[in-house]
Amino acid sequence: MICPVCKSDMIVVEYHNIELDYCTGCKGVWFDSGELELLLESQGLEETNLFLDNILDSPEAVSSEKKRKCPLCGHKMKKITIGEQPKILIDMCSEEHGLWFDGDEVNQLIRHLAGEHPPKQDSREQVVSFLEEVFEAPE
Ligand SMILES: [Zn+2]
Ligand SMILES: [Zn+2]
């Protein structure tokens, strides 16, 4: 799959049967529809469905950030925000193909999840260390 930002070829990263597409050029990540949910659920993060419903119901955010195209269907994606202080601006395909996070937005998401959805036991550490591994991997 081609990165919607820098047009590099993205690599597929697999973890517990969840596949993410990761761009080594700009460190962005694409979650196919359902994969973010699977990832959160596999880590025992509660309120996942509520969190994702909120995302899907979000109104289009006002932003000067350039519109990006869905890597699956090529349609322009909708800008939406997650959380408050800071708001995380992400791109979502309106056909529900998936979500795009810029590299720094993934880190913001991790912080958001860690702060607002305290998980059981060490699952936060697991998901955080998984994401850190993935996104700081040398290739
Ligand atoms: Zn890229
Ligand atoms: Zn799409």
Side-chain angles (χ1 to χ4, degrees):
M1 202 151 70
I2 302 297
C3 173
V5 177
C6 70
K7 316 293 184 218
S8 302
D9 230 341
M10 293 197 280
I11 59 166
V12 175
V13 181
E14 214 183 313
Y15 175 80
H16 291 206
N17 301 321
I18 301 159
E19 289 187 354
L20 311 178
D21 293 275
Y22 172 60
C23 177
T24 54
C26 66
K27 314 271 188 246
V29 63
W30 171 259
F31 288 90
D32 275 342
S33 188
E35 284 171 343
L36 180 59
E37 189 174 356
L38 285 173
L39 174 67
L40 298 176
E41 281 179 359
S42 76
Q43 300 302 321
L45 287 163
E46 303 290 330
E47 301 175 51
T48 304
N49 291 332
L50 184 67
F51 170 69
L52 291 168
D53 283 350
N54 286 342
I55 291 181
L56 296 177
D57 287 343
S58 298
E60 172 123 37
V62 179
S63 165
S64 56
E65 201 176 82
K66 205 175 158 215
K67 291 254 188 192
R68 289 168 181 148
K69 289 180 180 162
C70 171
L72 294 183
C73 68
H75 292 157
K76 279 186 182 159
M77 291 192 280
K78 184 175 154 184
K79 299 278 179 198
I80 56 167
T81 55
I82 301 175
E84 304 281 340
Q85 298 181 348
K87 286 191 162 90
I88 310 165
L89 185 71
I90 64 167
D91 299 83
M92 178 180 74
C93 173
S94 46
E95 311 287 328
E96 298 190 13
H97 287 131
L99 301 165
W100 173 260
F101 293 81
D102 289 331
D104 57 336
E105 291 165 358
V106 175
N107 291 326
Q108 290 173 28
L109 175 72
I110 293 168
R111 281 200 291 269
H112 174 71
L113 291 172
E116 290 199 11
H117 300 275
K120 288 178 246 166
Q121 298 181 357
D122 295 330
S123 52
R124 177 169 67 85
E125 280 75 9
Q126 281 174 30
V127 76
V128 169
S129 59
F130 160 65
L131 289 169
E132 281 172 356
E133 261 171 47
V134 170
F135 301 117
E136 288 169 14
E139 48 173 0

